[in-house]
Amino acid sequence: MNTATKLVSLAALATSIAVATAGCGASPEAPVATTAPPNSVELRMTVWTSNEDQLALFDTIAEEYKADHPEIKSITFESLPFPDYNTTLTTQIAGGNSPDLAWMGDLSRDLIASDALVPLTDRLTETKGWDYDDLLGSVTSEFTADDELYAYPFSNSPFALYVNESLLAAAGQSLDTSDLTWDQVSAVGSAVNAATGKGGFVIRDFNYSSWNTLATVWTGWGASAWNKDGTKCTFDSDEMVDAFQFLHDAIYVDASMPGPGTTADFFAGDSAFTIAQVSRAALLDGSFEYDVYPLPDGPEGEYSVLGQAGVGVLESSAHVQEATDFLAFLTNPENAAKLAQFFPPPRKSLLTGEKLAENNTKLTADQLEAVVIDQLPDAVTLPNHTSPAEISQKAKTALDAMWTPDADVKAVLSSVCTAIDPLLAT
Amino acid sequence: MTTTHSTTRGASTDAPRGAATDVAPPSYPKRRPGRFWTMARRDALTGYLFITPQLVGVLVFVLIPVGLAIYYSLNDWNIFTGELSFVGGENYAALLDDPQLPTVLGATAIFSGGVVMLNIALGLALAVMLNRRFRGVTLFRTMFFSPVVVSVVAWTLVWGFLLQDNGGINGLLAQFGVVGPNWLQEGPTAMTAVVITQVIRSVGINMVLFLSALQGVPGELYEAARIDGARNSTMFTRITLPLISPTLLLTAIITIVGALQAFAQIAVLTEGGPGLSTTVLVYYVFQQAFEFNHIGYGSTLALMLLTFVMLLTVLQWQLRRKWVFYED
Amino acid sequence: MKTDTAPPTIDVVRQPSGSAELPAGAGVTPRRVPRSGAAIARRIILYVALVVLAVPFVVPTIWMIASSFKPLSEIFASPPTIFTDSPTWAAYGEAFAFQPFAQQYFNSVYIAVLVTAITMLVSSLAGYAFARIRFPGQNLLFLVVLIGLLVPGEVTIVPLFQMFKQVGLINTHWPLILVTALAAPCVLATFVMRQFFIALPGELEEAARLDGLGRVGIWWRICLPLAKPALSAVAILTFLASWNLYLEPTVYITSPELFTLPQALTRYTDAYGGEMWNTQLAAATMTVVPVLVVFLIAQKQFVEGLAHSGLKG
């Protein structure tokens, strides 16, 4: 009976939504003036890493900052799952539960375009000892609009070619590293597949869905997803057709790339090569001999591709002032050096093989010099545009037709343009 | 219970009229209702109170949202800035211009139709097979029902493994020298896979519902028919089916509603692909509203879905008179 | 509609037996007990058919449990194996290390239990009223309630999201509890309860009324105890509906410690979105096995309870 009454009253809760507010909603923080009273500011930063060491580093930096800033009550780092980081962040913003700072990948263009980010250039330039000119130009461009920086590119991880030397040896193959080309990678991959049944080369995270990772291949053919100002699709260019023809042949003719629906994890020893970011070296567990090289040459020669992540302050934060100040602290030369053990930094002063190798147990200074330092200045980023989710889905839908043995490569690529051109134009 | 009961009475005095006489409700003699409060009226009031939680639930969590959805469908919404701008019928016009929509509707029809037909046919077949006594019948019932209690996501994840090109199913086929298709990468097989995994997962409920209905059919009917020389198939179509037709209607409704809401299966197994071949309307609405942030258009699509369901139900309601037995 | 239940039965008896089949089949009729040879053959066919049919129902679950003990490299071994030679518990540890899995487990359980309790109460009240009490507008109101069953969740999810956002309940469990307990699954429950109560003989109530019981008393003391099968059916359906909820948590909940199990299962990915297959399988096993065990123990009540409920349309 007692429970029943309780349940009745619980059900009655629903009758008036307003009553339900008394539930467990997060109370909105009061807006603060420039000089916030002590212990009044709670900052929250969304990140997609769940790596304990990385989170611990962030916590240490936050503790240091708090020691000098009495107004800060707490700084929390909220790990959101990577696969739907964008959706979750957007939902938080739309739901009025916006974080103060956020990591961002391909959502940055949307955030910048809708004025959701706080401009940083003036603030960082004015900060003593921050040394704005130390930033590498090639890595800031993705987060810059009208000469204004909106997010600090804390991670700039070039894509590299990982090689499973043990598997190559088992298949009686070896790599001529003086002339590392895609054709050679495909040929060796094909031979490994024939000899061992394992996969040839795998574009990590592509999974026949995230096509933007294929930029690590098509850039070598001189192709790009769209033109420089992002208004016109260039999937139907001749270079792109050649690049996709190469991939198609690799899957269906040479069997050097595992086809759709086949799971082959390089880091579990399932494939001879993988194209992945340098930061993925953390996944190497020592179960096989490996090496790492810059991306193989394409018909257009050498090239390098970069995966980036930035951190910015959201306009919808209740503490824009304090959040921006913390961002400046988090990214100052001293802390940037600490972050560099996990994320290749955007600062010229930190970009030497020795410095990066100090905290990297998987790769040597020479390897890092070759695959990071030498690549960064000229690297292109993965395709980035406003409305990333929609462009991604529309292009993926069209591109699915590519992954059958008798696909018409040129026609499929034209259909990609038909699908995404309307989105690019807006 | 008494507490609730007297509250009921108290509330009744505030209702329609009678405020003039009932100054002190608690002390008012319980067994002497005023002239207005006849037995029937008090009973009716209790009825209203009994249905209130359910009615309010439907009002707040179904009807008001539907009204809001109509409002959203007339607006465009910038999710980052929270700006809402009236666009009139633009989202409705966009329905006609959406090149993906016909494919999505086709996929929805194939998926729902496939699931409903297979689910009911298989559910009925299983029920008939298991509606008798033999050794192990409970074990079989348990086995066929067990996927129902497995979480949809876990179930779908496992099938995702099994349906990989180098996964369990093709591995099994290979043992027999058959080269299986690349299930989730080709439109027709992907749709087949999604439909079948959905049916296997949920048919247990229908099986049990049909079992219950079959056990409600009096055995004497079959005896009588048998004496009259009716064949098994005749008995099935002439006795069983008419008698369980109310259950058929119920399961049809439950299954259709379930099929139209099958989101997890699609999201985990195929993400709507390859191409748009398994993008059913639910998944499309989710994409538009929550991934592309087109809340206005997403609402418009959702309302279209609602219209379909309503039409379908009205149709069933009409047909019901023809084939559901208890309607007489 | 109430009183219609009995007469049709009689109709049916007449209809099929009086049909044209009678003369044709008449000769074969007496063979009511078939010869044992044929019976055995038929039984064997039945068993074989059932076993073959059962494979896709049972094997995935077994494979899932078995694979959760495999090292990662063995999960996709070709040809596929069911059992591994080198079982490991590692993935189970990871499942808890990677996410607040125990908390997520608790979330799912308490939400499902709460939702089930609310639904049983609300639906039995409403079902009873719609079945046994006469009040003006009854049919119209019942129709209004039934709309709740027909409106697909995706129609209402966006507005509901905005409504819950208005009252600050995003990223809380309230939406998952309230909507499930009072909207669609509850409407189905109300429908089931109504069908059950309609079939109850009226004399019971008359007797109770003479004993001085009010409506609430009749509902609580007389009808609910009788409705145990229907209530258990409602409980099972509602519990599963809540337990399996996926779209709603995906939309409403963003903090991992508030996740429910279906949502949590898809989050076993490394920092870069790569899927941690064996961990996913271990977590999935942990979500499935306890429910399966409960089911196996209580399967008689489970299946028979559903079967003997009022779920006859």
Side-chain angles (χ1 to χ4, degrees):
Chain A
M1 170 62 226
N2 219 333
T3 15
T5 334
K6 274 187 203 147
L7 289 175
V8 173
S9 56
L10 231 172
L13 253 183
T15 62
S16 140
I17 278 208
V19 179
T21 339
C24 32
S27 60
E29 290 152 292
V32 263
T34 323
T35 45
N39 244 350
S40 67
V41 179
E42 293 178 32
L43 293 180
R44 183 166 59 96
M45 175 166 146
T46 53
V47 300
W48 58 70
T49 180
S50 48
N51 181 302
E52 285 168 37
D53 298 335
Q54 296 178 2
L55 291 173
L57 175 61
F58 279 115
D59 281 335
T60 319
I61 297 176
E63 282 307 315
E64 263 174 58
Y65 182 76
K66 262 177 70 179
D68 290 342
H69 293 80
E71 77 277 10
I72 303 294
K73 186 172 175 212
S74 67
I75 300 174
T76 46
F77 299 92
E78 186 183 2
S79 290
L80 303 178
F82 183 80
D84 37 29
Y85 181 85
N86 283 358
T87 312
T88 312
L89 180 60
T90 314
T91 308
Q92 287 197 356
I93 296 172
N97 181 27
S98 158
D100 304 283
L101 302 103
W103 280 16
M104 59 198 72
D106 60 3
L107 194 63
S108 59
R109 289 289 175 92
D110 265 351
L111 292 170
I112 294 172
S114 45
D115 296 325
L117 292 177
V118 176
L120 299 173
T121 309
D122 288 350
R123 192 63 184 269
L124 296 178
T125 328
E126 286 160 14
T127 305
K128 239 192 174 161
W130 202 87
D131 196 7
Y132 193 85
D133 294 330
D134 193 25
L135 294 182
L136 195 64
S138 64
V139 300
T140 49
S141 55
E142 271 308 309
F143 300 103
T144 304
D146 300 329
D147 289 331
E148 186 73 58
L149 185 70
Y150 285 92
Y152 170 85
F154 70 93
S155 178
N156 310 276
S157 195
F159 286 87
L161 176 75
Y162 290 75
V163 183
N164 183 334
E165 300 282 5
S166 308
L167 191 54
L168 255 61
Q173 294 292 314
S174 65
L175 213 53
D176 173 13
T177 52
S178 63
D179 179 33
L180 202 51
T181 61
W182 271 109
D183 285 338
Q184 197 197 151
V185 166
S186 181
V188 172
S190 180
V192 168
N193 175 265
T196 67
K198 303 267 187 179
F201 67 91
V202 172
I203 314 293
R204 181 119 184 125
D205 297 335
F206 166 49
N207 293 335
Y208 293 86
S209 168
S210 309
W211 50 266
N212 63 335
T213 56
L214 293 182
T216 56
V217 178
W218 73 54
T219 310
W221 271 254
S224 61
W226 37 76
N227 62 356
K228 221 167 171 56
D229 54 5
T231 50
K232 179 102 187 60
C233 168
T234 54
F235 263 95
D236 49 4
S237 68
D238 292 341
E239 294 85 1
M240 193 62 101
V241 173
D242 289 345
F244 270 90
Q245 190 64 56
F246 167 77
L247 289 168
H248 197 269
D249 288 347
I251 302 166
Y252 296 105
V253 180
D254 306 325
S256 56
M257 177 176 173
T262 302
T263 311
D265 183 354
F266 174 84
F267 295 99
D270 294 342
S271 74
F273 306 99
T274 194
I275 302 294
Q277 280 173 283
V278 173
S279 48
R280 303 298 175 85
L283 295 171
L284 291 162
D285 61 0
S287 58
F288 55 84
E289 296 291 312
Y290 59 84
D291 209 340
V292 57
Y293 300 98
L295 292 178
D297 291 356
E300 293 288 300
E302 285 182 32
Y303 66 103
S304 49
V305 180
L306 178 68
Q308 280 193 304
V311 54
V313 177
L314 289 152
E315 282 284 6
S316 44
S317 158
H319 310 288
V320 167
Q321 179 95 14
E322 290 77 8
T324 317
D325 198 58
F326 174 65
L327 180 74
F329 179 77
L330 178 70
T331 60
N332 68 23
E334 193 187 324
N335 287 324
K338 292 181 194 159
L339 293 174
Q341 63 179 290
F342 300 114
F343 315 107
R347 289 175 173 274
K348 289 175 244 176
S349 60
L350 297 170
L351 285 168
T352 69
E354 287 80 38
K355 285 214 161 164
L356 293 184
E358 273 168 24
N359 288 299
N360 194 316
T361 55
K362 308 285 186 187
L363 302 179
T364 65
D366 287 345
Q367 285 175 324
L368 287 164
E369 186 84 37
V371 298
V372 180
I373 316 293
D374 295 348
Q375 307 301 323
L376 277 185
D378 300 312
V380 300
T381 57
L382 294 180
N384 205 357
H385 203 276
T386 50
S387 306
E390 196 170 3
I391 291 176
S392 174
Q393 185 266 348
K394 291 249 159 74
K396 188 236 167 216
T397 301
L399 215 44
D400 276 346
M402 180 72 76
W403 315 119
T404 57
D406 44 8
D408 179 343
V409 173
K410 198 173 167 57
V412 172
L413 290 174
S414 305
S415 76
V416 171
C417 279
T418 315
I420 68 172
D421 257 333
L423 291 165
L424 298 178
T426 49
Chain B
M1 209 66 287
T2 2
T3 354
T4 324
H5 201 59
S6 58
T7 331
T8 308
R9 292 287 161 80
S12 74
T13 53
D14 296 337
R17 44 156 264 187
T21 43
D22 304 333
V23 188
S27 62
Y28 195 78
K30 227 173 135 190
R31 291 203 180 271
R32 266 188 41 220
R35 267 197 60 203
F36 178 81
W37 288 109
T38 59
M39 200 66 176
R41 281 202 164 121
R42 274 194 7 215
D43 217 30
L45 183 71
T46 319
Y48 290 127
L49 287 172
F50 272 29
I51 65 165
T52 298
Q54 175 66 91
L55 202 58
V56 170
V58 169
L59 188 72
V60 174
F61 299 121
V62 179
L63 297 181
I64 291 179
V66 168
L68 280 173
I70 295 173
Y71 171 68
Y72 295 155
S73 72
L74 301 173
N75 284 278
D76 196 24
W77 188 322
N78 185 331
I79 200 149
F80 293 107
T81 58
E83 277 165 37
L84 206 64
S85 47
F86 187 77
V87 295
E90 218 170 81
N91 285 321
Y92 290 86
L95 285 179
L96 301 176
D97 290 340
D98 186 342
Q100 302 195 326
L101 192 56
T103 323
V104 170
L105 292 180
T108 312
I110 294 173
F111 178 79
S112 314
V115 166
V116 171
M117 281 189 294
L118 254 181
N119 207 334
I120 289 180
L122 185 60
L124 194 54
L126 288 174
V128 169
M129 278 195 270
L130 296 171
N131 185 33
R132 55 186 92 182
R133 299 202 171 278
F134 58 90
R135 191 178 288 274
V137 67
T138 342
L139 180 70
F140 280 116
R141 285 186 195 172
T142 310
M143 289 200 285
F144 290 117
F145 191 75
S146 66
V148 173
V149 302
V150 176
S151 115
V152 191
V153 175
W155 181 254
T156 319
L157 276 176
V158 172
W159 278 96
F161 278 107
L162 296 176
L163 289 165
Q164 293 276 305
D165 198 21
N166 56 348
I169 290 178
N170 284 349
L172 189 72
L173 289 176
Q175 305 285 307
F176 299 100
V178 180
V179 179
N182 196 352
W183 293 96
L184 298 177
Q185 305 300 328
E186 286 152 39
T189 52
M191 180 57 92
T192 312
V194 179
V195 168
I196 289 180
T197 50
Q198 162 78 359
V199 168
I200 293 178
R201 208 200 81 78
S202 55
V203 75
I205 290 267
N206 283 357
M207 174 191 78
V208 173
L209 293 180
F210 284 129
L211 265 177
S212 77
L214 289 175
Q215 287 174 2
V217 180
E220 309 89 66
L221 288 187
Y222 294 116
E223 293 298 315
R226 208 170 263 133
I227 289 166
D228 291 347
R231 281 184 305 245
N232 279 345
S233 57
T234 317
M235 288 196 289
F236 184 73
T237 49
R238 294 299 180 92
I239 303 177
T240 315
L241 275 186
L243 273 181
I244 64 167
S245 56
T247 306
L248 268 173
L249 177 68
L250 177 71
T251 48
I253 292 176
I254 296 180
T255 315
I256 287 177
V257 172
L260 283 172
Q261 303 197 353
F263 170 76
Q265 293 84 330
I266 306 284
V268 178
L269 215 50
T270 65
E271 291 181 6
L276 288 171
S277 57
T278 57
T279 303
V280 296
L281 204 45
V282 199
Y283 191 68
Y284 196 53
V285 170
F286 173 79
Q287 277 190 329
Q288 290 287 346
F290 289 99
E291 287 193 331
F292 307 163
N293 302 320
H294 301 323
I295 298 211
Y297 187 56
S299 301
T300 314
L301 284 166
L303 286 169
M304 186 180 66
L305 178 61
L306 177 57
T307 317
F308 284 153
V309 175
M310 289 291 179
L311 284 177
L312 214 62
T313 311
V314 169
L315 193 73
Q316 270 188 333
W317 204 253
Q318 295 301 323
L319 285 177
R320 182 185 74 137
R321 292 176 191 288
K322 289 223 170 84
W323 63 269
V324 173
F325 198 74
Y326 64 25
E327 279 313 303
D328 201 356
Chain C
M1 208 193 275
K2 243 196 281 188
T3 46
D4 284 354
T5 20
T9 335
I10 299 157
D11 271 357
V12 177
V13 183
R14 245 181 261 131
Q15 247 181 358
S17 55
S19 66
E21 253 84 4
L22 186 72
V28 213
T29 329
R31 210 152 47 82
R32 243 193 282 165
V33 184
R35 269 187 327 199
S36 62
I40 290 171
R42 222 183 279 171
R43 186 118 308 174
I44 289 174
I45 292 173
L46 179 70
Y47 274 118
V48 170
L50 285 174
V51 168
V52 169
L53 262 175
V55 167
F57 287 78
V58 180
V59 169
T61 314
I62 295 175
W63 186 84
M64 173 183 77
I65 297 169
S67 293
S68 65
F69 295 102
K70 290 178 187 168
L72 187 58
S73 52
E74 235 183 274
I75 289 177
F76 283 104
S78 177
T81 55
I82 293 231
F83 299 104
T84 173
D85 298 331
S86 43
T88 162
W89 285 94
Y92 285 83
E94 256 172 66
F96 286 95
F98 187 79
Q99 286 194 96
F101 190 68
Q103 175 72 44
Q104 293 164 345
Y105 214 110
F106 173 76
N107 293 341
S108 264
V109 171
Y110 104 82
I111 291 174
V113 168
L114 194 59
V115 162
T116 307
I118 299 175
T119 297
M120 285 168 76
L121 182 81
V122 171
S123 67
S124 64
L125 277 172
Y128 175 80
F130 280 126
R132 312 295 301 191
I133 305 178
R134 296 199 174 281
F135 49 90
Q138 192 164 20
N139 288 334
L140 180 72
L141 289 173
F142 186 57
L143 217 60
V144 169
V145 168
L146 275 191
I147 290 178
L149 194 59
L150 299 180
V151 178
E154 55 274 19
V155 176
T156 51
I157 188 138
V158 176
L160 278 175
F161 179 83
Q162 297 304 325
M163 286 163 67
F164 283 111
K165 173 189 147 188
Q166 285 296 313
V167 293
L169 292 182
I170 296 304
N171 207 18
T172 72
H173 289 148
W174 285 110
L176 307 185
I177 296 168
L178 292 177
V179 177
T180 322
L182 294 170
C186 185
V187 173
L188 180 63
T190 298
F191 184 69
V192 168
M193 293 310 295
R194 172 183 176 272
Q195 297 307 104
F196 180 85
F197 285 131
I198 274 184
L200 279 188
E203 301 87 60
L204 277 174
E205 271 177 289
E206 288 311 313
R209 202 179 276 275
L210 291 177
D211 289 348
L213 274 183
R215 277 294 184 188
V216 176
I218 295 176
W219 166 75
W220 179 255
R221 298 223 190 118
I222 309 291
C223 289
L224 276 194
L226 284 173
K228 269 187 192 138
L231 279 173
S232 68
V234 162
I236 293 165
L237 289 173
T238 316
F239 187 90
L240 290 175
S242 168
W243 185 256
N244 282 329
L245 218 52
Y246 180 67
L247 174 64
E248 287 78 3
T250 320
V251 170
Y252 291 120
I253 311 287
T254 54
S255 309
E257 68 275 11
L258 293 175
F259 281 0
T260 58
L261 288 176
Q263 190 183 13
L265 282 185
T266 57
R267 306 302 168 98
Y268 284 103
T269 56
D270 61 35
Y272 314 103
E275 302 198 60
M276 303 154 66
W277 293 114
N278 48 351
T279 314
Q280 265 184 3
L281 288 174
T285 300
M286 284 186 278
T287 69
V288 167
V289 169
V291 187
L292 268 186
V293 169
V294 171
F295 174 72
L296 281 176
I297 295 169
Q299 80 82 27
K300 210 166 171 61
Q301 287 84 332
F302 242 59
V303 177
E304 308 293 318
L306 263 176
H308 293 138
S309 70
L311 276 180
K312 294 174 189 163

